[in-house]
Structure formats: C-alpha cells, structure tokens
Amino acid sequence: MDCLFCSIIKGDIPSTKVYEDEFCLAFRDIAPQAPVHILIIPKAHIASANEITAENSAVVAHIFEVIPKIAEKEGFSSYRLISNIGEDACQSVKHLHFHILAGRKMAEQMA
Ligand code: DGP
C-alpha cells in the first residue's frame, strides 16, 4: 500500500519526531499552520476517523491519552485538535491523523 504516513512510520521518509511508542507516532507537520503544529497518527493504517470501529478504536483512546503528555512536554495547555475526513474536509493524506495546533490564539471560526 502506498501511504505517505506509513512510509514515515517505517522511517523511509524522514520526520521530526515528537513522541513515539508501540502504537502511535507524533511528528511535526511539514507545513505548520500555527507556531506548534504536530500530527499524531496510529501505527496501524486506518484511512480516516470514518473507519474507526470497535476493533481498532483502542488506538484512538491511546492517542487521546498521549496528546496531553505531548502538550505538557511541549509546554502548552490550550490547543486545537482537528481531524479532516474526506474530500469536503480537505483530507490530503488517507491515514488517520490528528492535527495538534497551539502557540497562538486560534480563530473563533473553525471552517
Ligand atoms: P490533511 O490535510 O488533514 O490530510 O493533513 C495532512 C498534513 O500532512 C498536512 O498538514 C501536511 C502534512 N504533511 C504532508 N506531507 C508531509 C510529510 O512528508 N511530512 C510531514 N511531516 N508532514 C506532511
């Protein structure tokens, strides 16, 4: 399967890692949209949040436990979490990812 984020997990494409464990990887977005812009992804390939099921949802719970640890390590406590799903939401990489945006006051409007 040709998946950019699977290649990043394998190390075939370099990334600036922020956090890694057996189940997930967090790394800095290549085109940051805020002073802090981190992506956190499951190591198992899940195409988007629309493909989360009872069988694979444990990794999502894990990711949501890891995010506050990243926030603490990176020194922020207020942030925005975004996951784009499908074409209308402009999902460009078809591997589930959560954008962690921090470091400035966000716009009130989200879309
Ligand atoms: P989305 O549009 O929600 O699918 O977000 C995909 C994000 O992935 C986008 O913000 C840019 C980022 N991105 C794309 N290619 C790379 C890459 O090769 N390395 C890193 N670190 N980020 C990438």
Side-chain angles (χ1 to χ4, degrees), residues 34-36 76 78-79 101-106:
V36 179
F76 58 86
S78 180
Y79 50 98
L101 298 155
R104 66 163 163 78
K105 177 84 176 160
M106 300 292 153

Side-chain angles (χ1 to χ4, degrees), residues 55-110:
E55 282 68 46
N56 65 19
S57 62
V59 72
V60 180
H62 178 70
I63 283 172
F64 275 76
E65 288 174 36
V66 167
I67 288 169
K69 293 182 191 167
I70 292 173
E72 190 180 5
K73 189 171 145 232
E74 292 279 316
F76 58 86
S77 58
S78 180
Y79 50 98
R80 183 164 280 170
L81 266 183
I82 296 173
S83 190
N84 295 320
I85 297 144
E87 217 173 301
D88 283 355
C90 301
Q91 182 185 5
S92 60
V93 181
K94 307 293 184 279
H95 183 125
L96 174 63
H97 52 282
F98 297 95
H99 297 258
I100 305 169
L101 298 155
R104 66 163 163 78
K105 177 84 176 160
M106 300 292 153
E108 261 188 53
Q109 192 158 357
M110 281 187 287

Side-chain angles (χ1 to χ4, degrees), residues 4-5 8 13-16 27-31 33 37 39 82-84 89-94 97 99:
L4 177 67
F5 286 174
I8 287 178
I13 293 174
S15 67
T16 306
F27 54 98
R28 300 201 188 274
D29 195 289
I30 204 167
Q33 295 191 32
H37 189 166
L39 300 173
I82 296 173
S83 190
N84 295 320
C90 301
Q91 182 185 5
S92 60
V93 181
K94 307 293 184 279
H97 52 282
H99 297 258

Side-chain angles (χ1 to χ4, degrees), residues 19-58:
Y19 175 92
E20 182 170 21
D21 65 26
E22 197 183 337
F23 304 107
C24 68
L25 173 68
F27 54 98
R28 300 201 188 274
D29 195 289
I30 204 167
Q33 295 191 32
V36 179
H37 189 166
I38 295 165
L39 300 173
I40 185 162
I41 65 176
K43 287 193 169 175
H45 183 88
I46 300 171
S48 80
N50 204 39
E51 275 71 42
I52 296 169
T53 64
E55 282 68 46
N56 65 19
S57 62

